[in-house]
Amino acid sequence: MVEGVAISIKDVSKVYRLYQRPIDRLKEMLFRRRSHKEFIALNDLNIRVKKGETLGVVGENGAGKSTLLKIISKTLKPTGGEVEINGMVSSLLELGSGFHPEFTGIDNIHFYGSLLGIPSSEMKRRVQEVISFAEIGEHINYPLKTYSSGMQVRLAFSVAMAVEPDILVVDEALSVGDLYFQKKSTDKILSIKDKGNTIIFCSHSMYYINRLCDRVIWLKNGRVAMDGPASEVTQAYETYQLKKEADKRSETPQAVPLPSHETAVIAIHNLILTPCATVRSGDDLTVEMDIVSLDDSVPYRLAAVLFRIDELRILGIGTKAHELLYGNRKITLCFPSIQLKEGTFYLRIHVMDENFVHKYDTKATEPFTVPKEGMEPGFINLPYRWTV
Amino acid sequence: MTNWFNLVKYFLIKDIKSRYAGSGLGIFWTVMMPFFQIVLYWFVFSTVMRVRPHSNAHIPYVLFLLSTYFFWIAISESIVRSGMTIIENAELVKKVPFPVIILPISITLSCYLQSMVGVILFIIAYTFSGLSHLSLFLIVPVLFLQLLFSIGFGMLLAAIIPYMRDLQQIIGYMLQGMFFLSPILYSMEAIPETFRNLTYLNPVTLYVEAYHKVVFDGTLPGWWHMGAMALCSGLFLFLGVKVFMKLNEGFADIL
């Protein structure tokens, strides 16, 4: 084990064998006869976590996040590869699962300590700390079954923290209990981070991941798709997710089929977006298009909708202040100094009738991304003024 | 090691506590239910069927039954409960890294501890009927060997049943066979000579006969008998640990 490394995961894979019946598994274990299908949850994973690092893990459901966390907390054995863990792991995955309702709070604290292999003398020293942090008071001498669920969670959290883990594994639940305790538990986790302990944090909330983690890995189908600074990885991951969702939507056939180009009386051609792909906050965004009309006598108007990639409508605008348009035209739409802050967006242009009811044609631009620059969340800038 | 001891202690207390939680009569049930069955057997065999299931005329049949019945209860209870222990503690096994083998061990100890209350009651009854003798303490080594056998058997079932849950259904019948084919209700001499040696294939017979020897004759059984017991206990323990350690790795995947 190299100095200063908390977790070293080398070529680790986890293959779940899917058996039709549990007995097939037994047969195979005893007689080594193959009778299963395989599902690869982790595929040759290589991760090294330094001591004191806070590593975020993101990924879609089924990407292998939970499997990874279970392997780190040693409840699951990897199928292949080497896992080295340097120090004691406590995880908030198992919050309270070692508890027994008939035991008193004190007994449960000791019991949990024994489960994790902490000497009882050591545990005795920490009991007071647990009790005061959990704010359970007198109840600590009563059986756990008399506790409210909030008290149970508080106790479980306090115990998991009091064992002073070198490595803390947190799955989603960053905060527990009521609002007051939520703040307290979040602060506690932050203090663990400040103390220089290692934290592995898995969450769907990119905000928390960004706030807490130095480094993030993105798991995709059991492999590391990306590994790097939190802001970069989370943004790439979010963009990927939003895009995927948008793709899924465009794949599903729409209820009212739009007229195809052959039959459309008025159609949009050559939609060009500048600058393309990456747009910075404050750039001038320009869309040029050719409108081709087969019948010069038909009037039309144009509309544009700015979408975020997850189909959130940010802005809808139309040429309602302009004269009706006729015939072939070359049209430009410009957003001077666009005040988008972060995310991936696209514009959809519609050719509509004079009342903005009927759609002749519709076309979307390529998506473009605005990279995150500051710390503040949000995706648009608005003028504002603090009065303090 | 002290941690193992602590864990066994906690699981033991946990088991006993949850067993008697909210029950008004507590340990009373653990003793009374077997007593009720003993009275039943006694009535059926010596009053209704009027058979002489045991040859020792100077010992009342009830005492004959009592001499091994609670040891049998320890075996059967621990087998049934060990078999379920992994499934019952699935959450713990899946989520907390600890030596899981402690579960069948502590559940077996718990069953033995509880049935010892019955054994003590038997010794008291035996003393009152004026038959007691100091050599009664020779049951301790026999009990120890029986405990090892139970722990081994328990581990074996605890490891296999999560993979083969329907085995649990068969265990009841298996125990019934082990009970009726061992000299608990009758003495060895009551078995026709042609079958007598066959009953030794039932491990329970070994232990039950040893208790009879100690309680009624005041001596340990012969060296071959002791040797067979030790071998049987050792074999089951070895097999239990071996199989458990092997199957243990897959628990998190199947539970």
Side-chain angles (χ1 to χ4, degrees), chain A residues 60-91:
Chain A
E60 291 157 292
N61 291 330
K65 297 189 303 280
S66 304
T67 306
L68 177 65
L69 294 195
K70 278 185 195 157
I71 285 177
I72 291 173
S73 42
K74 294 187 212 161
T75 50
L76 205 63
K77 252 182 99 96
T79 317
E82 270 175 64
V83 181
E84 277 185 82
I85 310 275
N86 211 349
M88 208 226 337
V89 185
S90 174
S91 80

Coordinates of all heavy atoms in Angstrom, one line a residue, chain A residues 60-91:
Chain A
E60 N -25.8 7.0 -13.5 CA -27.3 6.6 -13.5 C -27.6 5.4 -12.7 O -26.7 4.7 -12.2 CB -27.6 6.3 -15.0 CG -27.6 7.5 -15.9 CD -27.4 7.1 -17.3 OE1 -26.4 6.6 -17.7 OE2 -28.4 7.3 -18.1
N61 N -28.8 5.1 -12.5 CA -29.2 3.9 -11.8 C -28.7 2.7 -12.5 O -28.8 2.7 -13.7 CB -30.7 3.8 -11.7 CG -31.3 4.9 -10.7 OD1 -30.6 5.3 -9.8 ND2 -32.5 5.3 -11.0
G62 N -28.1 1.8 -11.8 CA -27.6 0.6 -12.4 C -26.2 0.8 -13.0 O -25.7 -0.1 -13.6
A63 N -25.5 1.9 -12.7 CA -24.2 2.1 -13.3 C -23.1 1.5 -12.4 O -22.0 1.3 -12.8 CB -23.9 3.6 -13.4
G64 N -23.5 1.0 -11.2 CA -22.6 0.3 -10.4 C -22.2 1.1 -9.1 O -21.3 0.7 -8.4
K65 N -22.9 2.2 -8.9 CA -22.5 3.0 -7.7 C -22.7 2.3 -6.4 O -21.7 2.2 -5.6 CB -23.4 4.3 -7.6 CG -23.3 5.2 -8.8 CD -24.0 6.5 -8.5 CE -25.5 6.3 -8.2 NZ -26.4 6.1 -9.3
S66 N -23.8 1.7 -6.2 CA -24.1 1.0 -4.9 C -23.1 -0.2 -4.8 O -22.6 -0.4 -3.7 CB -25.5 0.5 -4.9 OG -26.4 1.5 -5.1
T67 N -22.9 -0.9 -5.9 CA -22.0 -2.0 -5.8 C -20.6 -1.5 -5.4 O -20.0 -2.2 -4.5 CB -21.9 -2.7 -7.2 OG1 -23.2 -3.0 -7.6 CG2 -21.0 -3.9 -7.1
L68 N -20.2 -0.4 -5.9 CA -18.9 0.1 -5.5 C -18.8 0.5 -4.1 O -17.9 0.1 -3.3 CB -18.5 1.3 -6.4 CG -17.2 2.1 -6.1 CD1 -16.1 1.2 -6.4 CD2 -17.1 3.3 -6.8
L69 N -19.9 1.1 -3.6 CA -19.9 1.5 -2.2 C -19.9 0.3 -1.3 O -19.3 0.3 -0.2 CB -21.1 2.4 -1.9 CG -21.2 3.8 -2.6 CD1 -22.3 4.6 -1.9 CD2 -19.9 4.5 -2.5
K70 N -20.6 -0.7 -1.7 CA -20.7 -1.9 -0.9 C -19.3 -2.6 -0.8 O -18.9 -3.2 0.2 CB -21.7 -2.9 -1.4 CG -23.1 -2.5 -0.9 CD -24.1 -3.6 -1.4 CE -25.5 -3.1 -1.3 NZ -26.4 -3.9 -2.2
I71 N -18.6 -2.6 -1.9 CA -17.3 -3.2 -1.9 C -16.4 -2.4 -1.1 O -15.6 -3.0 -0.3 CB -16.8 -3.3 -3.4 CG1 -17.5 -4.4 -4.1 CG2 -15.3 -3.5 -3.4 CD1 -17.1 -4.6 -5.5
I72 N -16.5 -1.1 -1.1 CA -15.6 -0.3 -0.2 C -16.0 -0.5 1.2 O -15.1 -0.6 2.1 CB -15.7 1.2 -0.6 CG1 -15.1 1.5 -2.0 CG2 -15.1 2.1 0.4 CD1 -15.3 2.9 -2.5
S73 N -17.2 -0.7 1.5 CA -17.6 -0.9 2.9 C -17.5 -2.4 3.3 O -17.9 -2.8 4.4 CB -18.9 -0.3 3.3 OG -19.9 -0.5 2.3
K74 N -17.0 -3.2 2.4 CA -16.6 -4.6 2.7 C -17.8 -5.5 3.0 O -17.7 -6.5 3.6 CB -15.7 -4.7 3.9 CG -14.3 -4.1 3.6 CD -13.4 -4.4 4.7 CE -12.4 -3.3 5.0 NZ -11.8 -3.3 6.3
T75 N -19.0 -5.1 2.5 CA -20.1 -6.1 2.7 C -20.3 -6.9 1.4 O -21.0 -7.9 1.4 CB -21.4 -5.4 3.0 OG1 -21.6 -4.4 2.0 CG2 -21.4 -4.8 4.4
L76 N -19.6 -6.6 0.4 CA -19.7 -7.3 -0.9 C -18.3 -7.7 -1.3 O -17.4 -6.9 -1.3 CB -20.4 -6.5 -1.9 CG -21.1 -7.1 -3.0 CD1 -22.3 -8.0 -2.4 CD2 -21.7 -6.1 -4.0
K77 N -18.1 -8.9 -1.8 CA -16.8 -9.3 -2.3 C -16.8 -9.1 -3.8 O -17.7 -9.5 -4.5 CB -16.6 -10.8 -1.9 CG -15.6 -11.0 -0.8 CD -15.4 -12.5 -0.7 CE -14.2 -13.0 -1.3 NZ -13.0 -13.1 -0.5
P78 N -15.7 -8.5 -4.3 CA -15.6 -8.3 -5.7 C -15.3 -9.7 -6.3 O -14.8 -10.6 -5.7 CB -14.4 -7.4 -5.9 CG -13.6 -7.5 -4.6 CD -14.6 -7.8 -3.6
T79 N -15.7 -9.8 -7.6 CA -15.5 -11.1 -8.3 C -14.0 -11.2 -8.7 O -13.5 -12.3 -8.6 CB -16.3 -11.1 -9.6 OG1 -17.6 -10.7 -9.3 CG2 -16.4 -12.5 -10.1
G80 N -13.4 -10.1 -9.0 CA -12.0 -10.2 -9.4 C -11.3 -8.9 -9.0 O -12.0 -7.8 -8.8
G81 N -10.0 -8.9 -8.9 CA -9.3 -7.6 -8.7 C -8.9 -7.5 -7.2 O -9.2 -8.3 -6.4
E82 N -8.2 -6.4 -7.0 CA -7.7 -6.2 -5.6 C -8.3 -4.9 -5.0 O -8.4 -3.9 -5.6 CB -6.2 -6.0 -5.7 CG -5.4 -7.3 -5.5 CD -3.9 -7.0 -5.7 OE1 -3.4 -6.3 -4.9 OE2 -3.4 -7.5 -6.7
V83 N -8.7 -5.0 -3.8 CA -9.2 -3.9 -3.1 C -8.4 -3.7 -1.8 O -8.3 -4.6 -1.0 CB -10.7 -4.0 -2.7 CG1 -11.2 -2.8 -1.9 CG2 -11.6 -4.3 -3.9
E84 N -7.8 -2.6 -1.7 CA -7.1 -2.3 -0.4 C -7.7 -1.1 0.3 O -7.8 -0.1 -0.3 CB -5.6 -2.1 -0.7 CG -4.8 -3.3 -0.9 CD -3.3 -3.0 -1.0 OE1 -2.6 -2.8 0.0 OE2 -2.9 -2.9 -2.2
I85 N -8.1 -1.3 1.5 CA -8.7 -0.2 2.3 C -7.8 0.1 3.4 O -7.4 -0.8 4.2 CB -10.1 -0.6 2.8 CG1 -10.9 -1.2 1.7 CG2 -10.7 0.5 3.5 CD1 -11.7 -0.3 0.9
N86 N -7.4 1.3 3.5 CA -6.4 1.7 4.6 C -7.2 2.4 5.7 O -7.3 3.6 5.6 CB -5.4 2.6 4.0 CG -4.0 2.4 4.6 OD1 -4.0 1.8 5.7 ND2 -3.0 2.9 4.1
G87 N -7.6 1.7 6.7 CA -8.3 2.3 7.8 C -9.7 1.8 8.0 O -10.2 1.0 7.2
M88 N -10.4 2.3 9.0 CA -11.7 1.8 9.3 C -12.7 2.5 8.5 O -12.7 3.7 8.3 CB -12.0 1.9 10.8 CG -12.9 0.9 11.3 SD -14.2 1.4 12.3 CE -13.7 2.9 13.0
V89 N -13.7 1.7 8.0 CA -14.7 2.3 7.2 C -16.0 2.2 8.0 O -16.4 1.2 8.6 CB -15.0 1.4 5.9 CG1 -16.0 2.1 5.0 CG2 -13.7 1.2 5.2
S90 N -16.7 3.4 8.0 CA -18.0 3.3 8.6 C -18.9 3.9 7.5 O -18.5 4.8 6.8 CB -18.1 4.2 9.8 OG -19.4 4.3 10.3
S91 N -20.1 3.3 7.3 CA -20.9 3.9 6.2 C -22.3 4.2 6.7 O -22.8 3.6 7.6 CB -20.9 2.9 5.1 OG -21.8 1.9 5.3

